[in-house]
Amino acid sequence: LDLNLQTNTYMKITHQARRRSLWPMSVQQQGSESSRSSKKIIVAGISILAIVLTSLGSSRNKIYNLTKAEGRCQTSFGSYGGKIYNLDGSTSENECLVESKWMRVARHKVMLPSSSSQDVTVIDDWLYIDYHDRINCLVQIPNDEDEGTDGKGGGDQQQPKFLVFEQTKYALENRNSLAVIGGIIEPHEAPELAARREVEEETGRQCTQMIKLGRFRTDVNRGMGWVHSYLGVNCRKALLTPTTSTLPDNDKEEEEVGT
């Protein structure tokens, strides 16, 4: 009897011990399975994030390459339709940074040969401004005509007379200046025809002769287009309707900020 009691007691204790040992094992198994699931979720999340970042990077590269390949600007306030400068043998890259209908600012990669050796100096960040070519014209009126007296004469008949504007412009710090006739050369327009057109538009006069004085770069390093200079000789008041620009009036006013 005592043996049976001891045996039964031992069996109960052993069974309870087994039950107790099984419970931690199930918790450990569940924790292990949960840990593996979390690891799988983390790995999957990292993989998806990597795919998304790779896709975005690839998209950015495609956009950037497309921008460089097709000449599109990073920032555009309108399409620039003027001439774009490239120097053969020197300009290896021409990347547009910002543009409007009036100008285009670009980053050039420029290769400059050395005068003393065969080495080449490379400048990666040369900023260049493409701008429409323009004309300036000094208008000479007949000696027998006195501007402001309706052509009735007066003054020194031996001294040539010239017409200039008194005006101010945005970059002149609110100061007045005297200026000759000026304006933009329109696409496919010859410089002399542009000068004649601008004189007619601004003064209502036609010149019997246009003497070309030459041309110059606004900035020999940064561009800004060519300025063609003329002397308009014997410019009399036109009897016919002046030739007008094909540019809309608001465009001309926007470009020529001032009075």
Side-chain angles (χ1 to χ4, degrees), residues 2-3 18 27 40 45 56 58 67 105 124 131 152 161 166 175 199 213 215 217 231 235-236:
D2 293 338
L3 178 62
R18 284 180 179 175
V27 171
K40 289 180 180 179
L56 288 174
S58 175
T67 299
V105 180
D124 293 321
Y131 194 81
K152 295 180 180 179
K161 301 179 179 65
E166 182 178 1
R175 300 175 182 178
V199 169
L213 305 178
R215 67 170 187 165
R217 277 283 191 194
L231 171 62
C235 302
R236 295 183 177 274

Side-chain angles (χ1 to χ4, degrees), residues 144-207:
D144 60 354
E145 181 180 338
D146 188 5
E147 179 69 10
T149 59
D150 298 325
K152 295 180 180 179
D156 189 348
Q157 299 295 321
Q158 302 300 318
Q159 295 295 326
K161 301 179 179 65
F162 301 95
L163 293 182
V164 293
F165 288 128
E166 182 178 1
Q167 61 183 6
T168 184
K169 292 293 182 182
Y170 176 69
L172 290 180
E173 302 172 336
N174 294 323
R175 300 175 182 178
N176 289 337
S177 69
L178 298 179
V180 298
I181 303 297
I184 289 175
I185 301 174
E186 296 183 5
H188 311 297
E189 185 179 33
E192 181 177 331
L193 293 180
R196 291 184 178 276
R197 173 180 54 76
E198 289 289 348
V199 169
E200 289 186 56
E201 289 178 2
E202 300 294 337
T203 70
R205 293 173 176 272
Q206 293 178 340
C207 304

